[in-house]
Amino acid sequence: MDRQTKQRRIETYRRRCREGGLPLTEQRMAVLEAMLDLDDHPTADRVHDVVARRDSRVSRATVYRALESLARIGVITKACHPGKAVRYDSRTETHHHLVCLRCDAIIDVTDDRLDALPVPDTSSYGFVVSDLRVQLRGVCRRCRELEETS
Ligand SMILES: [Zn+2]
Ligand SMILES: [Zn+2]
């Protein structure tokens, strides 16, 4: 991600945090910057690794809490994924995911037809849908190439 894009996304974060009534503390800012630098749907542990490299005083628990509160106000999103750890997503605009079942990679995909999918009526489940994202599962290019060469 180039510096300009990063700066723009940080500005959006600042605005959303203000609107959501969440003070953008130094530690939350560090977490957001790490999210942008990783940019591959990192787990909380990976975000913590990056944050701790810059400031070793930031604990894992602080990073977890920051990610959760940022997700609650919609500054980042949680990617639902069958893996063990929650994956966080720095992109909040509508997009979908290609999920590799071998290596757990999550690849962003945008597609007008997927965006246009109608939301089914879930009222009989007592469930309120806030977002519709499609998860296409399969095997990524890297894993396929590894399979072919072995
Ligand atoms: Zn893969
Ligand atoms: Zn994504």
Side-chain angles (χ1 to χ4, degrees), residues 18 20 22 33 47 68 70 87 123:
R18 253 197 324 271
L22 189 73
E33 284 196 46
V47 175
E68 286 299 309
L70 292 166
R87 305 276 290 265
S123 54

Side-chain angles (χ1 to χ4, degrees), residues 24-41:
L24 200 48
T25 59
E26 203 180 311
Q27 287 178 336
R28 282 197 192 111
M29 198 61 225
V31 167
L32 283 174
E33 284 196 46
M35 282 292 298
L36 290 177
D37 288 341
L38 290 164
D39 206 30
D40 62 350
H41 312 86

Side-chain angles (χ1 to χ4, degrees), residues 128-139:
V128 179
V129 175
S130 56
D131 191 15
L132 187 144
R133 307 238 176 159
V134 177
Q135 193 181 76
L136 300 162
R137 310 202 293 166
V139 183

